[in-house]
Amino acid sequence: MPRQDFRFSFPFRVRYAEVDQQGIVFNAHYLTYFDTAITEYFRWLEYDYIGQPARTGTDFHVVRSLIEYASPIRFDEEIDILVRAGRIGRSSLTLLLEIHGKGREDLRATGEIVWVNADQTTRRSTPIPPDLTERLAAMGEAYL
């Protein structure tokens, strides 16, 4: 999808430790990039998801992660990780991600991370905290 469909992006520079012998980012690092960008996305939303378990007794569990590789990313390259809410269900949140070259419309990879909110005692799904859905709506991120 076009970059303008994302309101949030986080910049990275590829480090030497993240590339394989070909000088290309090793596939497992894409999930690390996504995880870091998601943390920054929640900071941008001004939602403390790290403190959610203490506040609500619930926490998110990753139930799906998908990466599609479009074009290699190389050592020392500057990239942008774009994040947005893709779908908000009763207890699940789908996050959509894209990686592009810094400031460019050159898709390198796409991702989808699905979280399910779960009661931390029973481990059963439970509704997403209302303050999060309200925050997503207030930031224009509520895609149902």
Side-chain angles (χ1 to χ4, degrees):
M1 70 187 64
R3 284 180 71 119
Q4 65 262 22
D5 287 352
F6 292 84
R7 297 186 59 214
F8 175 82
S9 72
F10 188 72
F12 280 89
R13 182 184 294 269
V14 176
R15 298 171 295 185
Y16 182 74
E18 297 163 346
V19 299
D20 60 20
Q21 290 179 332
Q22 300 168 351
I24 296 170
V25 172
F26 180 68
N27 60 31
H29 289 291
Y30 286 72
L31 286 173
T32 301
Y33 293 167
F34 288 168
D35 186 62
T36 303
I38 288 168
T39 298
E40 295 303 324
Y41 174 74
F42 278 91
R43 187 170 283 129
W44 174 76
L45 286 172
E46 298 180 1
Y47 181 77
D48 178 19
Y49 83 96
I50 301 300
Q52 179 180 314
R55 284 192 321 275
T56 68
T58 70
D59 199 3
F60 288 105
H61 298 210
V62 174
V63 297
R64 175 180 165 89
S65 57
L66 173 69
I67 305 169
E68 292 188 16
Y69 305 95
S71 182
I73 302 170
R74 301 188 182 283
F75 168 65
D76 206 35
E77 190 170 347
E78 292 181 83
I79 56 175
D80 294 324
I81 313 297
L82 288 62
V83 183
R84 74 173 212 173
R87 182 181 179 284
I88 303 168
R90 182 189 76 80
S91 63
S92 67
L93 173 62
T94 301
L95 298 164
L96 303 177
L97 302 105
E98 290 187 359
I99 301 177
H100 291 264
K102 182 178 179 180
R104 297 192 308 274
E105 185 77 52
D106 67 337
L107 183 64
R108 303 306 187 77
T110 61
E112 179 182 287
I113 305 293
V114 179
W115 286 354
V116 171
N117 194 45
D119 180 287
Q120 293 304 281
T121 302
T122 66
R123 300 288 192 222
R124 296 196 183 273
S125 67
T126 190
I128 294 174
D131 56 332
L132 175 55
T133 55
E134 291 165 10
R135 172 61 38 196
L136 287 164
M139 297 299 277
E141 292 290 301
Y143 301 95
L144 303 177

